[in-house]
C-alpha cells in the first residue's frame, strides 16, 4: 500500500484539484499496490465520489473515541464511513503529541472504527530521545499492546501498521533502509507472537517519515517494508505518483 496523508492541508477546492490530478495520472497505470489518500474530514464525501471509478480508496485522518452525542466538533467513525471513506488513520504521532491521544483513547477509537466498517492505518513510532536511548523496540511494543493487541484476530486483520519514527516526520531525516527493515521485521515478529505466523505475513506494514520520490524505491525494496505513509510528498501529484510506482 502507498497512502497519502494530507494532514491539515488544502481547501476543499484545492483537494479536489489534487485528487483529480492523481486520479488522471493513475488512469493508464497499473500500480502494484493499493493506493489510499487520507484527507481532512470535510473533503471525504467529495473525494469518495471523485474516486468511485478509480482504484484510489479514501481515508480519514482521525475519528472520535465516542459513538455520538454531545461532543461538539467531533466526527464519529459512523459519520466517516457514511461518506464512502473506507479507512481511517489512527494514532498518528501528531495526534498523540498535540491532542494527547493516549493508549486508552486510541484503543476506543480503533474499536469504534472497526465496528463501523472502517479499516485502520495504525501509526506507531518512537521519538528521537527514545531512539538515541535504544528504546525504540520497547516503545512500539507498548503502543501496540496499549491499543491494538486487545483485538481478536478477525478484527486485527483490518489493521495496517505504519511505522513512523517521529524524528523522521516532516524533518527530511529519513530512517535508513536498514533501520526501517530492522524495525519492520521486529513489528512483524510481534504480530506473529500475538496472532501467529500467517497473520504476521498478511499484515501490511508501511514506513512513514520523509519518504519521498527519491528514497521510496530504496525503502520499499526491503522485504518487510510493504509500502509507505506519505505526508509532504503526497501533496504533489507527480511525487506521489513516483512513490506509488516505486512500490
Ligand atoms: P512526512 O509525513 O512524509 O511529511 O514526513 C509522514 C506522516 O506524518 O505520515
Amino acid at each position: 500500500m502507498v497512502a497519502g496523508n494530507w494532514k491539515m492541508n488544502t481547501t476543499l477546492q484545492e483537494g479536489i484539484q489534487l485528487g483529480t490530478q492523481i486520479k488522471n495520472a493513475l488512469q493508464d497505470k497499473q500500480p502494484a499496490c493499493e493506493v489510499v489518500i487520507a484527507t481532512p474530514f470535510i473533503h471525504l464525501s467529495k473525494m469518495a465520489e471523485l474516486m468511485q471509478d478509480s482504484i484510489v480508496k479514501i481515508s480519514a485522518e482521525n475519528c472520535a473515541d465516542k459513538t455520538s452525542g454531545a461532543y461538539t466538533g467531533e466526527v464519529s467513525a459512523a459519520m466517516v464511513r457514511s461518506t464512502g471513506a473506507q479507512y481511517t488513520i489512527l494514532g498518528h504521532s501528531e495526534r498523540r503529541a498535540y491532542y494527547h491521544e493516549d493508549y486508552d483513547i486510541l484503543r476506543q477509537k480503533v474499536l469504534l472504527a472497526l465496528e463501523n466498517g472502517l479499516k485502520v492505518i495504525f501509526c506507531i513510532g518512537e521519538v528521537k530521545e527514545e531512539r538515541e536511548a535504544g528504546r525504540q523496540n520497547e516503545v512500539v511494543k507498548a503502543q501496540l499492546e496499549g491499543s491494538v493487541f486487545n483485538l481478536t484476530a478477525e478484527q486485527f486483520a483490518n489493521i495496517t501498521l505504519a511505522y513512523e519514527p517521529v524524528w523522521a516526520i516532516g524533518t527530511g531525516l529519513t530512517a535508513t533502509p536498514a533501520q526501517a527493515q530492522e524495525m519492520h521485521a521486529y513489528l512483524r515478529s510481534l504480530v506473529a507472537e500475538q496472532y501467529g505466523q500467517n497473520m504476521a505475513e498478511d499484515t501490511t506494514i508501511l514506513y512513514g517519515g520523509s519518504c519521498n520520490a527519491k528514497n521510496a524505491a530504496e525503502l520499499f525494496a526491503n522485504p518487510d517494508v510493504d509500502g509507505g505513509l506519505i505526508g509532504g510528498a503526497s501533496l504533489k501529484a507527480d511525487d506521489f505518483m513516483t512513490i506509488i510506482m516505486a512500490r
Side-chain angles (χ1 to χ4, degrees):
M1 177 194 294
V2 170
N5 174 14
W6 287 3
K7 309 194 179 185
M8 196 173 75
N9 291 297
T10 74
T11 61
L12 179 57
Q13 290 74 19
E14 289 164 351
I16 291 168
Q17 201 177 5
L18 177 56
T20 307
Q21 285 170 1
I22 294 165
K23 179 183 171 180
N24 291 344
L26 275 167
Q27 219 135 40
D28 54 351
K29 298 261 178 3
Q30 294 196 321
C33 59
E34 191 173 2
V35 179
V36 176
I37 299 180
T39 78
F41 289 130
I42 62 139
H43 298 45
L44 292 176
S45 139
K46 285 272 188 207
M47 286 290 291
E49 211 176 285
L50 174 68
M51 297 303 183
Q52 232 163 23
D53 53 349
S54 138
I55 58 158
V56 177
K57 297 189 178 115
I58 300 302
S59 174
E61 301 173 6
N62 180 30
C63 68
D65 60 338
K66 303 284 194 302
T67 307
S68 68
Y71 302 101
T72 303
E74 286 296 289
V75 175
S76 73
M79 292 174 192
V80 169
R81 186 70 190 101
S82 74
T83 66
Q86 298 179 51
Y87 282 86
T88 185
I89 295 176
L90 288 174
H92 193 281
S93 62
E94 289 151 17
R95 301 291 320 171
R96 293 181 194 259
Y98 308 147
Y99 303 97
H100 315 295
E101 295 189 3
D102 60 17
Y103 297 168
D104 292 344
I105 289 174
L106 290 172
R107 194 168 56 242
Q108 282 310 313
K109 291 189 175 200
V110 169
L111 284 171
L112 283 169
L114 295 176
E115 272 170 26
N116 285 284
L118 292 170
K119 293 182 180 179
V120 174
I121 300 173
F122 189 75
C123 304
I124 50 184
E126 79 287 357
V127 300
K128 185 160 158 269
E129 293 71 28
E130 291 162 341
R131 164 71 59 169
E132 282 168 357
R135 293 185 49 227
Q136 64 272 18
N137 285 11
E138 148 194 355
V139 169
V140 296
K141 185 172 191 229
Q143 289 171 334
L144 291 175
E145 288 175 347
S147 308
V148 292
F149 276 179
N150 57 300
L151 298 173
T152 64
E154 200 186 333
Q155 289 171 319
F156 190 83
N158 293 302
I159 303 285
T160 295
L161 296 178
Y163 171 58
E164 299 205 307
V166 181
W167 46 271
I169 297 177
T171 57
L173 265 184
T174 316
T176 64
Q179 280 172 327
Q181 170 54 29
E182 190 183 19
M183 176 54 86
H184 282 227
Y186 174 65
L187 293 170
R188 210 178 293 284
S189 77
L190 292 178
V191 176
E193 266 172 42
Q194 190 72 20
Y195 295 105
Q197 195 56 39
N198 286 349
M199 180 74 86
E201 280 164 24
D202 287 348
T203 301
T204 298
I205 309 180
L206 308 178
Y207 169 80
S210 298
C211 181
N212 58 39
K214 290 209 177 79
N215 60 26
E218 201 186 3
L219 285 161
F220 298 168
N222 290 287
D224 286 298
V225 180
D226 303 318
L229 181 55
I230 319 298
S234 73
L235 293 168
K236 293 188 206 115
D238 287 353
D239 286 2
F240 191 53
M241 281 306 300
T242 305
I243 297 168
I244 291 169
M245 299 317 288
R247 177 65 193 93

